[in-house]
Amino acid sequence: MSGVAIVDYGINNVRSVKNAVEYCGFDPVVTHDADAIADASHVILPGVGAFGDAMSNIRARGIDEMLERHVREKGKPFLAVCLGMQLLANTSEEHADDGVAHRGLGWFDADVQRLMPNDPALKIPHMGWNMVAKERNHPVLANIRESNLAFYFVHSFAMRCRDAGDVVGFAQYGQPVTAIIARDNIAATQFHPEKSQDTGIELMSNFLRWNP
């Protein structure tokens, strides 16, 4: 196995993630091909856009089944970013206008809910730099000092995990915001490491060298 598979489900913006992986010295391929995902050493699921549209595309292309096989069953190191992280939840209330939440991949016992900060001065979407408070150590944060855990966020919804053990770090934006989750060979960030300058590149590099 060699290279890094960046999953393309048709509506996610992959260019900045691809550039970050190349900057770390790795050879990424942007793909939704099963063979390319099977051949890759690491898999990244980026994400922008709406939850429901993303899941529809993922299911239409069979990407959910590919990821289940190679990530969950075979244990390939996996990183999900922003909406990609939210897709790992059971459900999302984003655009659930009929009262029925959209169904996610269900890899984490969590739901995605609209941000509702307790300070009216805080705007939605949450856009900009925030510190992340580390709840526990994890290999993707190796050698990053806690005073440097500042990352770039752009989102209006956030994941709420039922199992506190899944949470690696929180941000604060008028409410606690789940910023990093991880279990076994899977890690995910609500922020964009590829847009978070040196600290984000260090996190990305840690992931690409991670062999759980």
Side-chain angles (χ1 to χ4, degrees):
M1 293 188 296
S2 62
V4 178
I6 301 173
V7 179
D8 178 12
Y9 51 85
I11 57 175
N12 50 345
N13 183 1
V14 299
R15 179 175 296 179
S16 57
V17 174
K18 182 175 183 289
N19 290 343
V21 171
E22 290 174 340
Y23 186 85
C24 292
F26 290 79
D27 182 25
V29 57
V30 177
T31 185
H32 61 267
D33 180 75
D35 290 337
I37 292 173
D39 289 342
S41 63
H42 291 64
V43 179
I44 300 175
L45 179 67
V48 296
F51 188 104
D53 293 339
M55 282 306 309
S56 293
N57 281 27
I58 284 171
R59 292 192 178 104
R61 296 172 183 230
I63 292 171
D64 52 341
E65 297 175 357
M66 283 187 274
L67 294 180
E68 181 74 26
R69 182 164 61 253
H70 294 292
V71 176
R72 296 252 279 175
E73 296 177 10
K74 297 185 178 180
K76 199 179 292 284
F78 176 83
L79 176 68
V81 173
C82 197
L83 176 64
M85 170 172 149
Q86 296 178 15
L87 298 175
L88 306 184
N90 293 323
T91 65
S92 173
E93 65 182 30
E94 182 179 5
H95 297 320
D97 300 326
D98 56 1
V100 178
H102 295 287
R103 185 169 56 88
L105 293 171
W107 291 7
F108 285 78
D109 187 11
D111 297 301
V112 176
Q113 300 175 355
R114 181 178 294 277
L115 289 174
M116 298 184 68
N118 58 20
D119 182 348
L122 296 175
K123 297 181 179 180
I124 303 297
H126 169 206
M127 182 181 301
W129 292 86
N130 264 74
M131 294 297 298
V132 171
K134 186 167 66 174
E135 293 290 297
R136 60 182 173 92
N137 292 323
H138 190 274
V140 299
L141 298 179
N143 302 316
I144 303 177
R145 286 190 282 183
E146 293 193 34
S147 60
N148 289 340
L149 290 175
F151 297 98
Y152 190 79
F153 289 77
V154 184
H155 64 121
S156 300
F157 294 80
M159 180 183 283
R160 297 207 172 190
C161 294
R162 292 183 178 84
D163 186 346
D166 289 334
V167 180
V168 175
F170 281 102
Q172 288 290 336
Y173 192 71
Q175 66 179 90
V177 175
T178 306
I180 309 172
I181 60 171
R183 187 196 310 136
D184 301 327
N185 57 304
I186 299 167
T189 66
Q190 180 59 67
F191 53 81
H192 289 270
E194 76 281 7
K195 297 180 181 179
S196 298
Q197 299 183 1
D198 291 347
T199 305
I201 290 296
E202 191 164 5
L203 184 151
M204 185 76 75
S205 181
N206 284 338
F207 166 71
L208 294 168
R209 292 172 171 82
W210 181 34
N211 187 20

